[in-house]
Amino acid sequence: MTRRLLNGMEVVQMDEEWIEKAKKKHGMFKHGMVRILPHGYFYGGRAPYFIDKIHTFKFRPDDVIIMTFPKCGTTWMQEIVWNMIYNPNLDNPQAKTSIFLRSPDMSQDMQFDGEEVDNMEVSEFEALFRKIAPDKDPEEGMLLEILDKMEGRRVIKNHYPLCLMTPGLLDKTKVIYVIRNPKDALISYYHFARVMKLFRFSGTLEEFIDDCLKGEVVFMPFWPHVKEAWSQRHHPNMLFVFYEDMKADIMKELRSINTFIGTNLTEQQLENVAKFTSLSAMKSRGDPIDKRNYKTELMEGDTVYMRKGQVGDWKNVFSPELDAKVNKWIEENSKDTDITFNYGN
Ligand code: PPS
């Protein structure tokens, strides 16, 4: 029997044989893996349950949703928006607590089902969840419950595409969609996947990118995610931001975010936020949750979320063969869109 989401989309379960083969290189999920048609979004087996919950989730008019494909500048934008709202004068002690609790991730519940995710990784979320919802079952979605009970203006992280959110989301609340050139994003994803226990990727960069291009890495495919958001870029509740533009002129981007979310900050306050959320500042503060959720022996620095933060690093990393393969993928997928990326000079 065909399994369908509340939004009518079809869910296809990956077969056991495929999963056993994929397991040699990638971490898999306890409830298997699924694809959501028509685009083929690839997620852990519990995603349909949580996506159905998001379908009826109560968004509020003052929410700010940071929507991204992974590794495109999510954490940076979360810090920016949270600090613009709650810490423009840099005097809020909460700012040093984990961004994962100040700005919870709507798409995270599915990820706790990873075969190698251990209690350590879940503990802070579980502690908060037990406090706010002692009678509820964590299996029903800890992050969704935490978000539901959250007071004040919510800064919500989310990696699901627009089509898997509540219908008419943009008429209900504000979305900041951050995107980055896919070459740098793929490299960032590779480094993340090799150190995160959830992904525990054990192959080469070439193998990882091959699997991404086939849509066989969690959250793939990249293009429909981006194109759908791009098609909504003129909606008054959508702000479409390029990571490379943030790197080039952060004050310009902060001014437009300031207008978009209506924070009315002064130039001085925007300068404060820019300084506090710079790569070096975020790196030196670190994050209490981020610091433990990976195999540290593989990591060059001390965080997976603040690694190099560069534009065009792919040039130092891609072989000519890999570059040709990725260019072909970009070309094939760019035919029906006018979005263009800055790949660095
Ligand atoms: S995730 O896991 O999807 O939420 O990751 P995400 O935060 O989207 O992406 C991580 C990459 O963003 C870079 N980053 C930054 N760049 C510039 N300035 C600041 N403040 C900043 N914070 C995070 C981070 O370094 C990752 O990119 P790479 O290329 O891996 O360094």
Side-chain angles (χ1 to χ4, degrees):
M1 203 183 78
T2 310
R3 200 167 142 214
R4 290 198 182 272
L5 295 174
L6 284 178
N7 66 16
M9 288 183 190
E10 193 180 338
V11 179
V12 179
Q13 192 85 30
M14 302 302 285
D15 68 51
E16 287 296 322
E17 203 182 321
W18 185 92
I19 291 179
E20 279 311 310
K21 227 171 108 198
K23 255 187 195 174
K24 294 191 179 114
K25 274 186 289 162
H26 297 267
M28 290 287 139
F29 289 63
K30 292 180 204 129
H31 287 75
M33 306 299 298
V34 296
R35 278 198 187 288
I36 297 183
L37 304 184
H39 297 300
Y41 286 114
F42 186 62
Y43 300 127
R46 295 218 64 217
Y49 173 82
F50 294 120
I51 291 168
D52 274 349
K53 285 201 133 192
I54 292 172
H55 189 81
T56 53
F57 185 84
K58 289 202 170 36
F59 289 94
R60 304 174 194 157
D62 67 347
D63 286 339
V64 184
I65 304 175
I66 315 292
M67 185 179 287
T68 61
F69 187 83
K71 314 323 289 179
C72 290
T74 328
T75 320
W76 189 9
M77 186 59 84
Q78 285 172 275
E79 281 294 11
I80 287 172
V81 173
W82 190 91
N83 281 287
M84 284 176 74
I85 296 171
Y86 292 108
N87 191 32
N89 300 320
L90 306 186
D91 53 4
N92 185 344
Q94 279 290 104
K96 293 200 175 127
T97 62
S98 177
I99 188 66
F100 302 99
L101 296 175
R102 281 179 284 126
S103 168
D105 179 359
M106 282 211 109
S107 42
Q108 193 165 8
D109 284 311
M110 166 215 27
Q111 302 174 50
F112 294 141
D113 186 44
E115 280 183 337
E116 290 189 23
V117 170
D118 57 32
N119 290 339
M120 262 277 266
E121 283 173 75
V122 182
S123 57
E124 265 103 337
F125 300 106
E126 189 159 359
L128 182 56
F129 171 79
R130 297 276 181 215
K131 204 166 117 194
I132 59 166
D135 303 330
K136 290 227 166 165
D137 180 356
E139 291 291 303
E140 288 173 23
M142 292 195 286
L143 270 288
L144 288 176
E145 190 65 31
I146 289 169
L147 276 165
D148 192 51
K149 297 281 178 323
M150 212 163 169
E151 286 170 9
R153 195 169 188 188
R154 301 182 294 191
V155 181
I156 304 175
K157 168 178 172 176
N158 166 57
H159 287 318
Y160 291 129
L162 269 173
C163 65
L164 298 182
M165 304 294 284
T166 304
L169 178 76
L170 287 172
D171 298 323
K172 295 183 178 139
T173 192
K174 291 192 188 294
V175 173
I176 301 183
Y177 189 91
V178 191
I179 192 59
R180 180 182 194 182
N181 85 62
K183 293 186 179 182
D184 287 329
L186 287 171
I187 294 172
S188 183
Y189 205 0
Y190 163 69
H191 285 284
F192 185 72
R194 57 195 269 279
V195 298
M196 283 295 282
K197 289 183 212 148
L198 171 69
F199 292 89
R200 63 153 186 78
F201 182 72
S202 58
T204 62
L205 172 71
E206 283 73 11
E207 288 169 334
F208 183 78
I209 291 185
D210 264 346
D211 290 349
C212 284
L213 270 46
K214 283 187 278 174
E216 294 178 354
V217 172
V218 181
F219 292 113
M220 281 287 164
F222 174 85
W223 290 99
H225 197 297
V226 176
K227 286 186 213 173
E228 189 188 16
W230 181 246
S231 73
Q232 296 295 325
R233 69 192 178 282
H234 300 306
H235 192 290
N237 268 347
M238 164 70 95
L239 184 69
F240 199 95
V241 181
F242 287 93
Y243 176 90
E244 292 77 13
D245 290 344
M246 293 166 71
K247 288 288 294 184
D249 186 349
I250 191 61
M251 284 302 288
K252 182 163 175 247
E253 299 307 312
L254 291 187
R255 284 183 207 110
S256 91
I257 298 165
N258 194 25
T259 307
F260 181 67
I261 63 174
T263 27
N264 293 317
L265 302 189
T266 62
E267 276 292 294
Q268 180 55 57
Q269 289 174 315
L270 293 179
E271 298 266 5
N272 292 347
V273 172
K275 214 166 126 204
F276 195 71
T277 59
S278 71
L279 185 68
S280 56
M282 281 174 58
K283 230 177 182 167
S284 70
R285 279 198 306 281
D287 187 289
I289 291 185
D290 177 26
K291 277 192 172 144
R292 335 161 300 234
N293 288 352
Y294 48 85
K295 305 174 186 170
T296 22
E297 73 274 13
L298 286 177
M299 200 56 208
E300 293 135 16
D302 63 351
T303 165
V304 288
Y305 285 89
M306 282 74 75
R307 197 181 60 93
K308 281 191 173 177
Q310 290 174 1
V311 178
D313 190 41
W314 63 271
K315 289 178 194 163
N316 305 315
V317 179
F318 278 15
S319 65
E321 296 74 34
L322 181 58
D323 193 35
K325 190 183 283 186
V326 174
N327 284 338
K328 189 163 168 267
W329 171 74
I330 293 171
E331 202 183 306
E332 280 167 8
N333 284 286
S334 299
K335 283 185 187 130
D336 57 351
T337 176
D338 57 354
I339 188 169
T340 54
F341 290 103
N342 170 359
Y343 290 94
N345 296 318

